Amino acid sequence: MRWLDAVAASLILSILAALLWLNQGVSRTYILSAQTLGADITFDGRNSWFLGAATLCTPRQTALRRSPDPATAAQCDGRIYEESEETSLTLEWQGGNQISLRHDGSRVLLVIRDAQGQYPKGTILVLPAASLAGLGAMTFAGTMQIGEAMAPGARGLLLEGDYTVRESNRLSAWFGRRSDVVRSGALTYGDTATIVSDNRDMQAAQGFGQVVLIDGDRFQAVFRSAEDGAAIRIDALGVSEAIIKPDVIDTLLASPYLIVIGGILGVLANLISLSFQFIDRARKDRGGSP
């Protein structure tokens, strides 16, 4: 009977609508975690970092033709920079300040990409890796790119890491689960990874991060963004950029509650359809009209 087919189709559509409704109210958290030799940070708002002892290499207004004292064991090229020492350095980053962190053997280089207070653009802070490792996490609000693009002479390469996208919806809230992992994967040597806004220009997304120097020889960088309309951008040498963003299928496959409820609703739809078919056959056996 055609009306029975219509009822069965309506049930299937109702199941799909119910699953989509249960998936509403989605909030996502994008997470990057990697061991790396470099990271680029743009601050959003005020962030205070205590860095301890440091050598400041401030760009000269006019480069010299030769080093002032070639016999001196300088931290930076004396033709381009003027050196000064700080025994206890604390920097107050402001919104819009940009820096690059690079690991360089027994020392860490912090390059100021945007003028910050008394430190002009291009200033390099040279920090002993051994002492910096004991100062704990350098936290911030802003944006972050983990790793440096693979190129000759690049020193801030990403070593290894992973990305994770966690998602919460009505079902996870009802059952007391905060979120489920809907997408995850590995970052490989030489990648650069950034969480970006999911719009046409793919600008870096705001979030919260931390950088810790571990074992004195590499950074552990973690960055989280809770922008629902975000995505993860991964770039690698010789490969087109990869944009990672979960879709409806990822959500359905990741949520155990949606899978169970979808299965139950599917079984109920089949039972109802079989019941209708049984009624239809019974009517035909009794000579009833279809």
Side-chain angles (χ1 to χ4, degrees), residues 214-266:
I214 55 176
D215 298 333
D217 60 4
R218 63 196 183 281
F219 299 112
Q220 177 67 47
V222 179
F223 186 77
R224 299 171 180 263
S225 175
E227 291 187 19
D228 294 336
I232 294 173
R233 173 175 171 170
I234 301 173
D235 293 279
L237 180 65
V239 179
S240 300
E241 65 182 30
I243 303 298
I244 310 297
K245 183 176 177 63
D247 53 26
V248 175
I249 301 302
D250 292 320
T251 299
L252 294 177
L253 294 177
S255 174
Y257 303 119
L258 286 177
I259 293 174
V260 171
I261 291 178
I264 292 173
L265 292 176

Side-chain angles (χ1 to χ4, degrees), residues 78-112:
R79 296 167 297 178
I80 304 173
Y81 300 95
E82 293 182 359
E83 286 194 16
S84 59
E85 299 294 330
E86 291 282 352
T87 57
S88 182
L89 179 63
T90 298
L91 291 181
E92 296 287 344
W93 305 112
Q94 306 296 325
N97 286 157
Q98 299 176 354
I99 65 169
S100 294
L101 284 171
R102 296 292 184 267
H103 189 278
D104 184 33
S106 62
R107 61 184 191 166
V108 171
L109 306 180
L110 191 159
V111 183
I112 297 177

